[in-house]
Amino acid sequence: MNAEIIAVGTELLLGQILNTNAQFLSQKLAAIGMNMYYQTVVGDNADRLRSAIETAQQRADILIFTGGLGPTKDDLTKETIALAVGSSLVYNDDALRSIEEYYARTGRTFTENNKKQALVLEGSVVFPNDHGMAPGMGLRRDNKTYILLPGPPKEMRPMYDSYVEPFLLPLTSKETLHSRVLRFFGIGESQLEETLQDLIDTQTNPTIAPLAAEGEVTLRLTAKHASKDEANRLIDNVERAILDRVGEFFYGYDQDSLQGKLVSLLKKTGMTLASAESLTGGLFSEKITEVAGVSSFFYGGVICYSNEVKQHVLGVPAGVLETDGAVSEASAALLAENVSKLLKADIGISFTGVAGPGELEGKPPGTVFVGIAGKGMKTLVVPLKLWGTRQQIRERAMRYGMYHLYKKLEG
Amino acid sequence: MNAEIIAVGTELLLGQILNTNAQFLSQKLAAIGMNMYYQTVVGDNADRLRSAIETAQQRADILIFTGGLGPTKDDLTKETIALAVGSSLVYNDDALRSIEEYYARTGRTFTENNKKQALVLEGSVVFPNDHGMAPGMGLRRDNKTYILLPGPPKEMRPMYDSYVEPFLLPLTSKETLHSRVLRFFGIGESQLEETLQDLIDTQTNPTIAPLAAEGEVTLRLTAKHASKDEANRLIDNVERAILDRVGEFFYGYDQDSLQGKLVSLLKKTGMTLASAESLTGGLFSEKITEVAGVSSFFYGGVICYSNEVKQHVLGVPAGVLETDGAVSEASAALLAENVSKLLKADIGISFTGVAGPGELEGKPPGTVFVGIAGKGMKTLVVPLKLWGTRQQIRERAMRYGMYHLYKKLEG
């Protein structure tokens, strides 16, 4: 079984957008043991798309299309596939209903051309679009499988995970790959790799692949076995050997995130939280409130971007701002303590520092202090020396804050 | 004349890297008026690369290869092309010298397999690699042109700019493409297209291409003309016709962003700003502070996630929270007015609403109110009905806030 990705869109040929869908799908297909030999990009042109389909039919078992399912005239992926495989297009009631509901919900005026999005290939399995209007499709015809997916990544990615992978799995080889990702924070990629070098070099099943993500390091353990349980047993053994060495930096698995782990720990402890953000400008609070249902423990915060707000709203004395400065251990401590009092929360967390590009108070970009305070708790201030662009420094500060708050609540 | 990009590398098929080379080259080729109908990705496999070459020979005049020029065994782009076009490989003295110099400079030990990188197609124009070892090549054979470029973007990009574009220019038509992107907010793609359908259908030079990005819609106007000024005149005329119909939704050109436009307008007006964020949880403030140097006008804000904070920190009376609710026009107005007073800023902007997934105060997800208030300004409250996931609703609310604040300050 081998797959070919055919991305449809003139905007790709003009370089207006980057073909991130191809990378996403390639990773997903590799993970389920699906081979891929070719990828194609073709514009919004029926004849050339038709010929790309015919070329792919010669060399692939599974043709995966992204893009060209929208409402406009130049969206012609399904129309062209219908001609190529001798199928026809029929209206799908569920899709039609969800499109009409979408317009009802948003109060926007329904335009006729949107109905086009509810047309599907006759005899195809329809994949609902939980994040947009155009549904996806899976069609088996003459020993070939045709998968049609919308172009916008925000629609395509969840559709693949929820509906397409389960549709494809029966087609993949018996001996499939099973992966587990171990997530670490506070240790560099090279340091992690050095510590585990002998394991990484000698391991074959599962393999150990280090991967540096933004602000953290992950290890992907991938075992090849017909039985999922046996694969997991193989992975368990290697995981134990790894955590014996670097367990202190380990925080979670697979889709775990610092954000998610911190939120569930706060829910468990029943402690309430408030934030005081200077250099992060709201980034920490925004990440916490990305998760639904945090209002039970997250009261809110103060974005104290200017010193006036630090002084008049959060009560950092002018003297401290003059002598120690806004970017200091003293300010970080007072911001954390006072925001917890002002918002009547059990814990206050503060972020103050220099995001750059320029210096502040004679302190270089990357100088950051994170404060954690609360009733019956000795105030903790973590001084950080971060590197990177302005936005990287802000994001790393936010992540270190989550990490240290998590460790403090956990310990 | 039309070109096809053939990216060679198994790492692309596995999704280990993103094909940014294709986007870079697509933009560059469009800018010199070169048509492109297809892009292909193929792995490090001689037979499949050979067949990709034969397919491209059928449909393109210029075949542009990226990757597979390195020293290792699985680098076989030039070897395969040599077989496909009946050319042979010869050592290039300049390339050999620069490889040896590179090793001398870096003090690394020269290994024999690196000589392979100095082999070039006989009869080809050799493009020096100013940022690495493997040279590029340009070969004309049987009315086809073959361009070979290294895979690493930091080597490929400067090589294209310095040597490949001058090599290609004589092959392109005198008429080149000139594009302008118009950015719209607050109108859907299909509605925009329906309004402009007759223009889109009848326009040939410039062409009008709609493209939906997250939370906004763009139109790309592309004119073909030898003279840039004349092309711009053609584009100006069509832009005027478009803005006559949908000008109210227009906010900027090309690389403009709502965030960037708002920040520069605030700087210009000298007005100071404070935020009160409930459902957005800090997202608006975080986006504003992404830009360096906003501290001159952005004082900060209050994240009033809980009703206690709305009441005790931002002074929304308990009565209003009980009768109208936190998600109401009245609360949005008071939050905007009071945060501007509390932080002593000229303008206050507030975001309150239901991000979902569940209802709040019996109001469905997507119910959002944005408040804009300030001294000597009639308080404006914009009621919104948004759609999407929790995070999409939060991001759309943030963008609508930026948009309405921009229009208010602009008007």
Side-chain angles (χ1 to χ4, degrees):
Chain A
M1 276 294 163
N2 81 86
E4 174 163 349
I5 296 171
I6 301 176
V8 186
T10 302
E11 64 272 23
L12 287 162
L13 296 178
L14 291 172
Q16 289 168 7
I17 61 172
L18 191 55
N19 191 4
T20 57
N21 286 343
Q23 183 182 32
F24 172 86
L25 291 169
S26 302
Q27 290 172 341
K28 292 290 186 171
L29 293 167
I32 61 171
M34 182 84 68
N35 292 320
M36 188 183 310
Y37 301 137
Y38 297 96
Q39 295 172 359
T40 301
V41 177
V42 59
D44 303 309
N45 173 289
D47 296 340
R48 291 192 280 267
L49 174 55
R50 178 70 180 265
S51 112
I53 293 168
E54 286 158 1
T55 305
Q57 285 170 327
Q58 304 307 313
R59 58 193 189 186
D61 307 304
I62 300 170
L63 284 64
I64 302 180
F65 300 82
T66 57
L69 299 184
T72 70
K73 271 213 194 50
D74 65 357
D75 292 306
L76 34 74
T77 301
K78 58 195 175 191
E79 292 77 0
T80 310
I81 294 172
L83 290 173
V85 304
S87 168
S88 54
L89 294 170
V90 294
Y91 277 106
N92 178 268
D93 296 339
D94 298 344
L96 204 51
R97 199 172 312 112
S98 70
I99 292 171
E100 282 158 354
E101 279 166 10
Y102 164 80
Y103 275 88
R105 257 200 316 279
T106 56
R108 280 168 49 190
T109 44
F110 181 85
T111 54
E112 269 308 305
N113 58 356
N114 279 293
K115 276 200 176 148
K116 176 173 176 299
Q117 297 184 93
L119 283 171
V120 300
L121 289 162
E122 189 162 31
S124 65
V125 174
V126 175
F127 307 128
N129 188 335
D130 300 332
H131 301 274
M133 284 192 285
M137 284 153 259
L139 179 71
R140 297 224 176 77
R141 188 62 68 96
D142 308 329
N143 298 322
K144 302 283 176 191
T145 302
Y146 303 83
I147 305 284
L148 287 69
L149 300 172
K154 288 194 171 197
E155 301 176 20
M156 187 280 288
R157 295 178 177 213
M159 184 184 289
Y160 178 89
D161 290 332
S162 310
Y163 307 108
V164 182
E165 186 164 293
F167 179 87
L168 288 176
L169 274 174
L171 307 176
T172 61
S173 75
K174 286 287 141 290
E175 213 186 43
T176 58
L177 302 174
H178 305 274
S179 284
R180 182 182 309 167
V181 173
L182 308 184
R183 298 187 168 276
F184 301 87
F185 189 90
I187 181 172
E189 184 184 21
S190 52
Q191 193 194 336
L192 182 78
E193 208 167 330
E194 221 164 283
T195 318
L196 304 174
Q197 200 59 63
D198 55 317
L199 290 177
I200 294 170
D201 294 344
T202 54
Q203 267 303 319
T204 56
N205 193 23
T207 55
I208 304 174
L211 183 68
E214 179 52 36
E216 63 175 335
V217 183
T218 65
L219 288 177
R220 176 177 291 267
L221 311 184
T222 307
K224 196 165 197 165
H225 202 287
S227 141
K228 194 175 198 322
D229 295 353
E230 188 46 40
N232 281 327
R233 262 189 296 280
L234 293 169
I235 293 174
D236 289 338
N237 297 333
V238 175
E239 173 182 335
R240 236 173 275 114
I242 291 170
L243 295 189
D244 281 347
R245 300 190 192 180
V246 289
E248 58 182 309
F249 302 104
F250 171 77
Y251 79 82
Y253 294 103
D254 299 322
Q255 299 312 311
D256 283 347
S257 66
L258 276 173
Q259 169 196 26
K261 299 286 285 188
L262 175 59
V263 162
S264 27
L265 185 57
L266 278 160
K267 274 188 181 148
K268 213 173 77 215
T269 59
M271 300 270 250
T272 59
L273 178 67
S275 66
E277 302 192 59
S278 182
L279 89 152
T280 47
L283 187 55
F284 173 84
S285 308
E286 188 271 314
K287 285 288 171 220
I288 294 292
T289 56
E290 242 179 43
V291 185
V294 298
S295 47
S296 58
F297 63 84
F298 183 69
Y299 286 174
V302 174
I303 297 160
C304 48
Y305 209 63
S306 72
N307 281 2
E308 288 65 26
V309 176
K310 293 184 183 75
Q311 184 181 341
H312 297 122
V313 180
L314 287 178
V316 178
V320 172
L321 292 172
E322 279 148 26
T323 53
D324 300 74
V327 179
S328 66
E329 190 166 341
S331 291
L334 285 163
L335 288 170
E337 290 159 4
N338 295 350
V339 81
S340 69
K341 289 181 198 132
L342 179 67
L343 272 65
K344 303 187 172 58
D346 301 328
I347 309 167
I349 184 168
S350 70
F351 299 82
T352 181
V354 189
E359 289 194 338
L360 191 67
E361 302 175 346
K363 293 147 189 162
T367 310
V368 175
F369 295 89
V370 172
I372 298 173
K375 49 169 86 126
M377 181 190 287
K378 187 179 176 309
T379 298
L380 164 74
V381 176
V382 184
L384 300 169
K385 286 253 169 289
L386 304 176
W387 56 274
T389 63
R390 175 180 173 82
Q391 191 58 7
Q392 284 172 322
I393 287 171
R394 285 154 46 92
E395 283 173 8
R396 286 165 187 172
M398 175 269 290
R399 287 206 180 78
Y400 271 98
M402 287 185 171
Y403 177 71
H404 287 287
L405 180 54
Y406 180 75
K407 287 285 173 183
K408 175 117 184 168
L409 293 172
E410 190 191 33
Chain B
M1 278 293 163
N2 80 85
E4 174 162 348
I5 296 171
I6 301 176
V8 186
T10 302
E11 65 273 24
L12 287 162
L13 296 178
L14 291 173
Q16 289 165 358
I17 62 170
L18 191 55
N19 192 3
T20 57
N21 286 342
Q23 183 181 32
F24 173 86
L25 290 170
S26 302
Q27 289 171 342
K28 293 288 185 172
L29 293 167
I32 62 170
M34 182 83 68
N35 292 320
M36 188 184 309
Y37 300 139
Y38 298 96
Q39 295 171 359
T40 301
V41 177
V42 59
D44 303 310
N45 173 288
D47 296 339
R48 290 192 281 268
L49 175 54
R50 178 71 181 264
S51 110
I53 293 169
E54 285 159 2
T55 304
Q57 284 170 328
Q58 305 306 314
R59 57 193 190 186
D61 307 305
I62 301 171
L63 284 65
I64 302 180
F65 300 82
T66 58
L69 299 185
T72 71
K73 267 208 273 336
D74 64 358
D75 292 306
L76 33 75
T77 301
K78 57 194 175 192
E79 293 77 0
T80 310
I81 293 171
L83 289 173
V85 304
S87 170
S88 55
L89 294 170
V90 295
Y91 277 106
N92 177 271
D93 296 340
D94 297 344
L96 205 51
R97 199 174 312 108
S98 71
I99 290 170
E100 283 157 357
E101 280 166 10
Y102 172 85
Y103 272 88
R105 250 201 329 279
T106 56
R108 284 166 49 193
T109 45
F110 181 86
T111 53
E112 270 308 305
N113 60 353
N114 281 292
K115 276 200 175 150
K116 176 173 176 295
Q117 298 183 91
L119 284 171
V120 300
L121 289 162
E122 190 163 31
S124 65
V125 175
V126 176
F127 307 129
N129 188 334
D130 300 332
H131 298 80
M133 285 193 285
M137 285 152 259
L139 179 71
R140 297 221 178 77
R141 189 61 67 96
D142 308 329
N143 297 322
K144 302 281 176 194
T145 301
Y146 303 82
I147 306 284
L148 288 69
L149 300 172
K154 71 177 201 352
E155 300 177 21
M156 187 280 288
R157 294 177 178 216
M159 184 183 289
Y160 178 89
D161 290 331
S162 310
Y163 307 107
V164 181
E165 186 165 292
F167 179 87
L168 287 176
L169 274 174
L171 306 178
T172 61
S173 68
K174 289 284 145 290
E175 291 196 329
T176 62
L177 298 177
H178 305 274
S179 281
R180 183 183 307 167
V181 173
L182 309 184
R183 298 188 167 274
F184 299 87
F185 188 88
I187 181 172
E189 182 186 18
S190 52
Q191 194 192 338
L192 180 79
E193 182 157 357
E194 194 108 324
T195 317
L196 304 174
Q197 199 60 62
D198 55 319
L199 291 177
I200 293 170
D201 292 344
T202 54
Q203 267 303 319
T204 56
N205 193 23
T207 56
I208 305 174
L211 182 69
E214 177 53 31
E216 63 175 335
V217 183
T218 65
L219 288 177
R220 175 173 290 259
L221 311 184
T222 306
K224 199 165 197 168
H225 201 287
S227 141
K228 193 175 199 317
D229 296 351
E230 188 46 41
N232 281 327
R233 263 189 296 279
L234 293 169
I235 292 173
D236 290 338
N237 297 335
V238 174
E239 175 182 334
R240 235 173 277 116
I242 292 169
L243 296 190
D244 281 347
R245 300 191 193 179
V246 290
E248 59 183 309
F249 303 104
F250 171 76
Y251 80 83
Y253 294 102
D254 300 322
Q255 298 310 313
D256 284 345
S257 68
L258 275 173
Q259 172 194 27
K261 299 283 285 186
L262 176 59
V263 163
S264 29
L265 186 56
L266 278 160
K267 274 187 181 150
K268 212 171 84 224
T269 58
M271 301 270 248
T272 59
L273 178 67
S275 65
E277 302 192 59
S278 182
L279 90 153
T280 48
L283 187 55
F284 173 85
S285 308
E286 189 272 316
K287 285 288 171 221
I288 294 292
T289 55
E290 241 179 43
V291 185
V294 298
S295 48
S296 59
F297 64 83
F298 183 70
Y299 287 174
V302 174
I303 297 160
C304 46
Y305 209 63
S306 71
N307 281 2
E308 288 65 27
V309 175
K310 293 184 183 75
Q311 185 182 341
H312 298 121
V313 180
L314 288 178
V316 179
V320 171
L321 292 172
E322 280 147 26
T323 54
D324 300 73
V327 179
S328 66
E329 189 166 343
S331 292
L334 285 163
L335 289 170
E337 289 159 4
N338 295 349
V339 80
S340 68
K341 289 181 198 134
L342 178 68
L343 271 65
K344 302 187 173 56
D346 300 327
I347 309 167
I349 183 168
S350 69
F351 299 83
T352 182
V354 189
E359 289 194 339
L360 190 67
E361 302 175 346
K363 293 146 189 163
T367 311
V368 175
F369 296 88
V370 173
I372 299 174
K375 51 169 85 125
M377 180 190 288
K378 186 179 176 310
T379 298
L380 164 74
V381 175
V382 184
L384 299 169
K385 279 183 77 183
L386 303 177
W387 174 84
T389 62
R390 174 179 173 83
Q391 191 58 8
Q392 283 171 324
I393 287 171
R394 284 154 47 90
E395 283 173 9
R396 287 166 186 173
M398 175 269 290
R399 288 204 180 81
Y400 270 98
M402 288 185 171
Y403 176 72
H404 287 286
L405 180 54
Y406 179 76
K407 288 285 176 183
K408 175 116 185 168
L409 292 172
E410 190 191 34

